Amino acid sequence: GQQLNQSPQSMFIQEGEDVSMNCTSSSIFNTWLWYKQDPGEGPVLLIALYKAGELTSNGRLTAQFGITRKDSFLNISASIPSDVGIYFCAGPPPNAGGTSYGKLTFGQGTILTVHP
Amino acid sequence: ETGVTQTPRHLVMGMTNKKSLKCEQHLGHNAMYWYKQSAKKPLELMFVYNFKEQTENNSVPSRFSPECPNSSHLFLHLHTLQPEDSALYLCASSQLLAVRNNEQFFGPGTRLTVL
């Protein structure tokens, strides 16, 4: 099936630093979703992107829908310890319809560690 | 806070036990999903229910049996599991036929350990 590749796989940063991660695909996606998963919890939706070139913010988080529709970026500014977790990108697979309607493809996640 | 609840949060079972996981969504959604999350692996979609009808069984072994009695409740019945089935099982819901139909909302998960 279609895959989403996230980079980097893990990050170790100091509190206060900015963070940047991305998600790429060999296929075009019409929607990009970014989730965060805290340890022992389910993923929480952070930002949803629906238009190529779209730039959307949620507090210190900013995500962009790549112009080529094959990538998306998530930036976190002035990181704090509670930013620790796994960040996933996701999107409906290309040609999602019929019985595939509503399905999502997930990346493997970027693990973020923030040192105080 | 979450609109999707899952019980139990933790479950330890033997290979011969029968247990069930429960998911309930309070968001008025019409689609529900079961995912398996193992260590160092991407989320694996197991089952999809659209309008209470199962539309996806992603080659899941028959020892996992889903049930969706109504659009708000989803169960996963477990029987004669294997140790490799130990994982975090996540339930999610979404609203199909809506503008933001791809946005899935997850429950906190059930951490399952099979001995």
Side-chain angles (χ1 to χ4, degrees), chain A residues 31 33 35 37 40-45 48-50 86 88 92 98-104 106-108, chain B residues 9 33 35 37 42-43 45 48 50 55-56 88 90 96-108:
Chain A
T31 300
L33 306 172
Y35 287 86
Q37 185 176 23
E41 299 292 332
V44 173
L45 182 63
L49 302 163
Y50 287 93
I86 306 176
F88 292 99
T99 57
S100 295
Y101 189 48
K103 287 176 59 175
L104 290 178
F106 283 83
Q108 77 275 29
Chain B
R9 293 294 310 274
Y33 312 80
Y35 288 88
Q37 188 178 33
L43 284 159
L45 179 65
V48 179
N50 294 341
T55 58
E56 180 85 13
L88 182 67
L90 292 161
L96 300 182
L97 305 179
V99 172
R100 295 180 174 267
N101 61 72
N102 295 122
E103 295 178 15
Q104 293 184 15
F105 295 84
F106 286 82

Side-chain angles (χ1 to χ4, degrees), chain B residues 8-25:
Chain B
R9 293 294 310 274
H10 301 272
L11 178 62
V12 179
M13 59 187 289
M15 289 190 285
T16 58
N17 292 157
K18 288 185 182 180
K19 296 287 185 183
S20 296
L21 309 185
K22 178 183 176 183
C23 175
E24 183 174 0
Q25 59 95 1

Side-chain angles (χ1 to χ4, degrees), chain A residues 28-66:
Chain A
I28 289 175
F29 276 67
N30 293 318
T31 300
W32 290 95
L33 306 172
W34 283 95
Y35 287 86
K36 181 197 176 195
Q37 185 176 23
D38 290 330
E41 299 292 332
V44 173
L45 182 63
L46 299 173
I47 294 178
L49 302 163
Y50 287 93
K51 190 186 296 185
E54 180 181 354
L55 188 71
T56 298
S57 293
N58 178 3
R60 294 178 295 104
L61 277 62
T62 302
Q64 183 162 26
F65 193 139

Side-chain angles (χ1 to χ4, degrees), chain A residues 68-90:
Chain A
T68 65
R69 295 188 165 187
K70 293 183 177 182
D71 55 13
S72 180
F73 306 87
L74 177 69
N75 296 313
I76 305 173
S77 63
S79 59
I80 59 178
S82 62
D83 291 333
V84 164
I86 306 176
Y87 292 80
F88 292 99
C89 62

